[in-house]
Amino acid sequence: MNSPNQVTRRPANQTLLIDADDTLWENNIYFERAITSFVSYLDHRVHTAEEVRSHLNQVEHDTIRTHGYGLHSFRQSLITCFQQLTDTPMTDEKHRRIESFARSIAEQEIELLPNVAPTLSELATRHRLILVTKGDQTEQTDKLHRSGLAPHFTAVEVLPEKHHQAYLSLASHHSCDACKTWMIGNSPRSDVNPALSAGLNAIFIPHDFTWVLEHEVVNQPPAGQQLLELASFADLTQHF
């Protein structure tokens, strides 16, 4: 992985594929708060908070297979986890209370990460910017609209999953020159590794609260490809 101290400004007209959640704006911290509230509400007599959280992680992993990403899936995961870990019946009141944890996320204002707006504004003067996120189409589109960042992007792609084939298809659809295309994001599993496997370059911008299901060892780039790790989104202007 190239050191951020070895600054080389890339030429203009690169294609920058940019992740949204926890790259442009805060996202997972709100889920973490909701999960903390859920675990406290469950108040399990046998399992520790850590064990409940571990079980919820597995439930989420399973739920995503059938329901995809987004608040609907998260809400279902909370309900399923509650049902699996307690012998008490799921009353209407309990159902509403559990749903309120997911609803609290939807009610959050968009909180941009530091210097995102001016950095995108500058990058857009020199490069093609495409938003590449995954999740629920309506939810992600709404967040982009509320963020005020939409004018900086020439295209928006909301994918059901970000994997090797998805990046190949996206690069073909947008006529991306692989050697001049970079996927930028905080997730090794969804942003960095599959983009590299698809022949693109990647930029890893770690976030302290990246979702545990997105954790993965960052792969080394194949010969002829590049991988950068930057401390913040604003550092992009030093390289692009």
Side-chain angles (χ1 to χ4, degrees):
M1 188 178 301
N2 292 357
S3 167
N5 296 323
Q6 298 171 349
V7 177
T8 300
R9 174 67 73 87
R10 273 70 187 175
N13 299 319
Q14 307 283 306
T15 295
L16 306 183
L17 312 175
I18 303 176
D19 174 52
D21 294 337
D22 294 319
T23 295
L24 298 181
W25 51 69
E26 295 285 8
N27 180 66
N28 196 50
I29 57 170
Y30 307 127
F31 284 85
E32 293 296 331
R33 292 171 187 171
I35 290 170
T36 298
S37 297
F38 168 76
V39 173
S40 177
Y41 176 68
L42 181 61
D43 192 23
H44 208 279
R45 296 295 188 269
V46 176
H47 297 294
T48 66
E50 291 75 18
E51 289 171 338
V52 172
R53 176 58 190 273
S54 178
H55 187 78
L56 177 59
N57 289 342
Q58 184 58 54
V59 171
E60 284 194 272
H61 184 271
D62 295 338
T63 305
I64 287 167
R65 293 176 180 174
T66 54
H67 294 275
Y69 296 91
L71 286 178
H72 172 72
S73 179
F74 179 67
R75 185 184 304 112
Q76 184 58 51
S77 293
L78 294 181
I79 292 170
T80 300
C81 185
F82 184 91
Q83 292 172 328
Q84 291 179 352
L85 292 183
T86 182
D87 295 329
T88 60
M90 173 64 79
T91 64
D92 289 344
E93 188 280 329
K94 290 178 179 176
H95 198 282
R96 286 192 297 270
R97 184 66 183 278
I98 292 172
E99 285 190 328
S100 74
F101 301 138
R103 188 166 59 250
S104 69
I105 300 171
E107 294 169 350
Q108 290 291 334
E109 295 293 327
I110 298 297
E111 181 182 350
L112 297 182
L113 289 166
N115 299 306
V116 160
T119 299
L120 282 178
S121 181
E122 181 177 344
L123 290 173
T125 66
R126 299 189 292 273
H127 308 289
R128 177 173 63 156
L129 310 186
I130 300 176
L131 187 76
V132 181
T133 185
K134 68 179 181 181
D136 180 85
Q137 178 80 37
T138 300
E139 289 177 14
Q140 294 300 87
T141 301
D142 176 65
K143 285 195 284 187
L144 176 60
H145 174 73
R146 290 189 289 129
S147 75
L149 301 176
H152 300 305
F153 296 98
T154 62
V156 175
E157 295 281 355
V158 181
L159 307 174
E161 189 61 87
K162 290 159 80 172
H163 47 47
H164 173 85
Q165 187 57 49
Y167 282 106
L168 289 177
S169 298
L170 185 150
S172 175
H173 177 69
H174 290 284
S175 301
C176 296
D177 181 346
C179 67
K180 296 171 59 179
T181 301
W182 302 73
M183 180 62 209
I184 302 166
N186 68 294
S187 168
R189 176 180 174 272
S190 293
D191 300 323
V192 177
N193 291 339
L196 289 173
S197 76
L200 309 179
N201 304 303
I203 299 175
F204 179 40
I205 305 178
H207 188 288
D208 288 340
F209 294 100
T210 292
W211 187 23
V212 65
L213 295 189
E214 294 294 333
H215 290 186
E216 202 169 79
V217 174
V218 175
N219 295 335
Q220 289 300 307
Q225 293 171 240
Q226 298 180 67
L227 171 63
L228 302 178
E229 178 173 347
L230 303 182
S232 72
F233 195 84
D235 290 339
L236 284 167
T237 57
Q238 300 178 32
H239 298 264
F240 294 88

